[in-house]
Amino acid sequence: MHFGADDCRALQGNIKMANKPSTIEPVFRSLFRLGTWAAWFAAGLILAEAILFALHPQPEAIDDWFQLLQGSPVIGLLDAWLLELPLYAAFVLVFLALCILLKQD
């Protein structure tokens, strides 16, 4: 593939625009901060789920589920993917912040 002088100028213009500091509207600063914290929260929940499933694998039979829920309701609910609900809420905040950020540029 051969690049000409016009291609080089266009590429240099794109690099200059990428290095230009972006101006974030003050209205969206708190949303971006919230999206950042939500991303870290989601990463922590995913790590917690991985550890939980490594320590307490899910039961295979329905009788085992009932025994787990009666013996240890918290572990039973967590094994039933209860951590997914706050995880999805965090993802909504992350994707909303990313959407607004991409729309600004």
Side-chain angles (χ1 to χ4, degrees):
M1 182 180 244
H2 182 269
F3 287 104
D6 292 333
D7 295 326
C8 288
R9 278 190 226 106
L11 184 60
Q12 286 174 347
N14 288 340
I15 291 172
K16 287 179 185 174
M17 287 189 67
N19 290 334
K20 183 181 90 171
S22 64
T23 57
I24 298 173
E25 294 182 30
V27 176
F28 297 124
R29 282 189 196 272
S30 59
L31 176 64
F32 295 150
R33 284 193 185 110
L34 189 62
T36 302
W37 282 106
W40 283 109
F41 178 71
L45 282 180
I46 291 170
L47 181 63
E49 271 187 341
I51 292 170
L52 176 75
F53 289 144
L55 296 176
H56 300 280
Q58 290 184 322
E60 294 180 13
I62 191 70
D63 293 337
D64 297 335
W65 274 106
F66 283 116
Q67 288 175 359
L68 178 63
L69 286 169
Q70 287 175 349
S72 179
V74 174
I75 297 295
L77 287 173
L78 292 176
D79 265 353
W81 300 94
L82 185 69
L83 288 178
E84 292 293 309
L85 296 175
L87 184 64
Y88 292 143
F91 282 153
V92 167
L93 292 172
V94 170
F95 292 136
L96 181 63
L98 287 174
C99 179
I100 296 295
L101 184 64
L102 290 174
K103 291 278 186 183
Q104 277 191 341
D105 290 337

